[in-house]
């Protein structure tokens, strides 16, 4: 039986009102913060480092190590930012956390702020999660009333002021430096790195940006210790992971599973197997911007290193599932439509290439493709690796892997000028 940590107060599969402050405290809430505030900031950083927590936004960078890059002797304002932009198609894990248990996020951010001595924080929330922003605002007010936010927190002399910021609603706002530009009221273009936000972030000051799920792990690590946390995962992986499934599965949803749970367990035991009696054909394992898996890879453990070794990325661990009735040419057209729409337009291979790729795949899908189209798509895909930010390489993953693994479907569409899946 999986130990529920992040989901211990609610079940994302059963809609219910957000967990109140009283219910949160009754179930051990704010104990992690109490423990953190009794330690030195560097001790808290060390506990998070020792736990093996890796960023849950997709990159998997060690959280404690990231925190340690913030200069502790910096005397000006430092900022803590939570990335709740969650615009990656197929991903709905952070939404569950903020709609259902907002105090868990607030407590995690308070501990992080204390560990890095940051007195000001923002929660950057996807525009479509407006209701979630209201829920978090109400929880911030509750936490402030109970002395967990604001001035002189629990009499320790530490101040932390937290507020929400609703995104203007573009995918690129989820890239951490574009997010900071957006938060400053500027156009959401990514920034050149270095300097990294830890040194020059929001308003040019040291800033840490972490994902919602990352912060939500932190109170439990402080409350139960790093050794307990490390043992939650499988095969030496630390912690649990929120994993979701959408597409051609019987029971789409979201679950908390040990980090390292095999993909086929997620697909068959939790998501209920194929939805319409047709065998699974492919899975995008980490939400949209990750290379696609075919059935011989379905035994891959869902953890950062194993998924990378198998040729993709864990990303958000929210899988998108296709079955044998799906046309992968039409699927790629849908995928490229998203990327073409969401390019920020800053660099040419991305701005022009996404649209060109989308129109080329549409032509093939609609029976108007020509043999050289596949060469065009291969060339465009290579250029997506040479752009200013990770957006275009993100599109490159699904595009190149679908073109490689389902080449015969594309060739068939071009040769026969029709789609077998539609027949
Ligand atoms: S890769 Fe795309 S999203 Fe990133 S900076 Fe260039 S145009 Fe913008």
């Amino acid at each position: 039986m999986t130990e529920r940590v992040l989901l211990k107060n609610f079940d994302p599969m059963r809609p219910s009102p957000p967990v109140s402050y009283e219910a949160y405290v009754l179930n051990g809430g704010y104990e992690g913060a109490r423990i953190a505030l009794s330690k030195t900031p560097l001790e808290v950083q060390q506990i998070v480092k020792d736990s093996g927590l890796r960023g849950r936004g997709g990159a998997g960078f060690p959280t404690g190590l990231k925190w340690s890059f913030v200069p502790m002797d910096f005397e000006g304002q430092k900022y803590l930012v939570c990335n709740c932009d969650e615009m990656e198609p197929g991903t709905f894990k952070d939404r569950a956390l903020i709609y259902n248990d907002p105090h868990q996020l607030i407590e995690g951010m308070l501990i992080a702020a204390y560990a890095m001595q940051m007195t000001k924080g923002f929660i950057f929330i996807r525009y479509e999660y407006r209701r979630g922003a209201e829920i978090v605002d109400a929880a911030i007010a509750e936490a402030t009333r109970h002395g967990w936010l604001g001035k002189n927190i629990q009499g320790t002399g530490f101040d932390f002021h937290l507020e929400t910021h609703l995104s203007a609603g573009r995918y690129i706002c989820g890239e951490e430096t574009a997010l900071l530009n957006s938060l400053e009221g500027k156009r959401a273009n990514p920034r050149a790195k270095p300097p990294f936000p830890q040194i020059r972030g929001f308003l040019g000051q040291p800033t840490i940006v972490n994902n919602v799920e990352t912060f939500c792990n932190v109170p439990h690590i402080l409350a139960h210790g790093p050794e307990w946390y490390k043992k939650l995962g499988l095969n030496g992986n630390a912690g649990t992971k929120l994993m979701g499934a959408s597409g051609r599965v019987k029971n789409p949803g979201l679950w908390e599973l040990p980090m390292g749970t095999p993909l086929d367990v997620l697909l068959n035991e939790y998501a209920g197997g194929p939805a319409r009696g047709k065998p699974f054909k492919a899975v995008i394992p980490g939400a949209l911007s990750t290379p696609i898996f075919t059935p011989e890879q379905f035994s891959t453990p869902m953890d950062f290193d194993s998924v990378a070794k198998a040729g993709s990325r864990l990303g958000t661990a929210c899988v998108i599932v296709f079955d044998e009735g799906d046309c992968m040419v039409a699927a790629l057209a849908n995928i490229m439509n998203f990327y073409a729409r969401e390019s920020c337009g800053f660099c040419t291979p991305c701005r022009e290439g996404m649209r060109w790729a989308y129109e080329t795949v549409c032509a093939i899908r609609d029976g108007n493709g020509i043999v050289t189209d596949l060469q065009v798509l291969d060339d465009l895909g290579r250029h997506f690796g040479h752009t200013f930010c990770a957006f275009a390489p993100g599109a490159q993953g699904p595009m190149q892997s679908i073109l490689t693994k389902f080449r015969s479907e594309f060739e068939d569409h071009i040769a026969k000028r029709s789609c077998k899946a539609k027949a």
Side-chain angles (χ1 to χ4, degrees):
M1 182 74 183
T2 306
E3 182 161 0
R4 287 172 71 137
V5 179
L6 278 69
L7 303 186
K8 75 171 183 173
N9 291 328
F10 71 98
D11 181 350
M13 307 297 277
R14 294 171 197 270
S16 56
V19 176
S20 66
Y21 173 79
E22 288 73 21
Y24 184 70
V25 169
L26 208 64
N27 209 9
Y30 287 104
E31 260 319 295
R34 208 178 290 283
I35 292 167
L37 292 169
S38 71
K39 297 185 180 295
T40 67
L42 289 180
E43 282 172 344
V44 177
Q45 284 190 23
Q46 191 60 47
I47 289 170
V48 175
K49 258 190 207 167
D50 292 345
S51 74
L53 174 64
R54 294 172 69 171
R56 300 303 202 237
F61 193 81
T63 304
L65 183 62
K66 186 171 179 178
W67 291 4
S68 71
F69 295 151
V70 173
M72 292 301 281
D73 55 358
F74 184 82
E75 287 178 1
Q77 181 70 56
K78 295 184 276 189
Y79 294 97
L80 185 65
V81 176
C82 173
N83 186 346
C84 184
D85 196 51
E86 193 160 71
M87 278 194 70
E88 188 69 35
T91 302
F92 38 85
K93 64 185 184 66
D94 296 338
R95 181 181 66 181
L97 293 169
I98 65 160
Y99 276 67
N100 291 282
D101 202 358
H103 283 286
Q104 183 173 229
L105 171 60
I106 292 169
E107 186 182 359
M109 289 192 72
L110 165 61
I111 296 168
Y114 176 73
M116 292 174 280
Q117 293 292 286
M118 294 165 159
T119 56
K120 181 82 196 145
F122 299 96
I123 305 174
F124 188 95
I125 299 180
R126 176 182 172 166
Y127 179 73
E128 288 79 3
Y129 293 176
R130 291 187 292 281
R131 176 69 192 127
E134 288 169 8
I135 290 169
V136 176
D137 281 337
I140 287 174
E142 273 183 314
T144 306
R145 272 202 305 279
H146 290 277
W148 291 109
L149 289 176
K151 280 193 156 307
N152 190 22
I153 290 168
Q154 302 297 313
T156 58
F158 178 65
D159 303 341
F160 182 50
H161 303 274
L162 185 60
E163 63 185 88
T164 58
H165 176 96
L166 204 57
S167 169
R170 297 297 298 187
Y171 177 75
I172 198 62
C173 293
E175 195 280 338
E176 67 174 2
T177 59
L179 182 155
L180 294 174
N181 274 342
S182 178
L183 200 56
E184 290 179 10
K186 298 177 183 152
R187 181 174 166 165
N189 281 350
R191 297 176 180 172
K193 290 190 272 192
F196 290 92
Q198 296 92 307
I199 304 301
R200 290 193 61 191
F202 182 61
L203 299 176
Q205 307 290 99
T207 303
I208 280 288
V209 184
N210 278 140
N211 166 263
V212 175
E213 187 184 349
T214 310
F215 282 125
C216 287
N217 276 277
V218 173
H220 308 286
I221 293 169
L222 267 293
H224 300 288
E227 291 309 313
W228 165 86
Y229 185 78
K230 276 199 282 200
K231 288 188 190 128
L232 292 173
L234 303 177
N235 310 319
N237 290 290
T240 59
K241 179 76 191 81
L242 297 188
M243 298 188 195
S246 62
R248 306 294 188 191
V249 288
K250 214 177 271 173
N251 308 317
L254 183 73
W255 305 271
E256 181 172 18
L257 302 176
M259 182 71 94
T261 299
L263 174 57
D264 48 13
V265 171
L266 171 65
L267 293 175
N268 295 306
E269 288 181 28
Y270 291 88
R276 46 183 193 173
K278 295 179 178 162
F280 291 137
K281 181 179 191 176
V283 170
I284 304 182
L288 198 61
S289 303
T290 57
I292 202 161
F293 276 169
T294 35
E296 66 278 9
Q297 291 158 303
F298 287 180
S299 58
T300 304
M302 290 288 279
D303 61 70
F304 293 107
D305 298 335
S306 301
V307 177
K309 205 166 152 203
S312 187
R313 289 187 302 112
L314 182 67
T316 62
C318 287
V319 307
I320 303 170
V321 184
F322 302 87
D323 71 19
E324 285 295 343
D326 288 316
C327 168
M328 299 312 289
V329 180
L332 184 59
N334 197 19
I335 290 168
M336 295 317 296
N337 186 24
F338 172 79
Y339 289 114
R341 271 203 337 249
E342 293 295 340
S343 167
C344 86
F346 180 79
C347 48
T348 309
C350 177
R351 182 186 63 240
E352 305 299 327
M354 294 295 165
R355 176 118 328 250
W356 192 358
Y358 167 59
E359 289 174 0
T360 305
V361 178
C362 284
I364 299 172
R365 178 197 63 192
D366 298 339
N368 301 317
I370 52 176
V371 177
T372 50
D373 282 345
L374 289 177
Q375 186 59 48
V376 168
L377 290 172
D378 290 340
D379 286 346
L380 286 170
R382 268 192 294 279
H383 287 297
F384 291 163
H386 304 284
T387 50
F388 188 66
C389 86
F391 174 91
Q396 184 186 44
M399 183 170 126
Q400 286 188 326
S401 58
I402 288 174
L403 281 169
T404 304
K405 293 185 170 179
F406 299 98
R407 193 95 179 166
S408 60
E409 277 191 43
F410 287 80
E411 289 165 348
D412 208 52
H413 276 72
I414 292 169
K416 299 189 179 135
R417 299 196 164 273
S418 65
C419 174
K420 252 199 307 204
K422 272 193 195 158

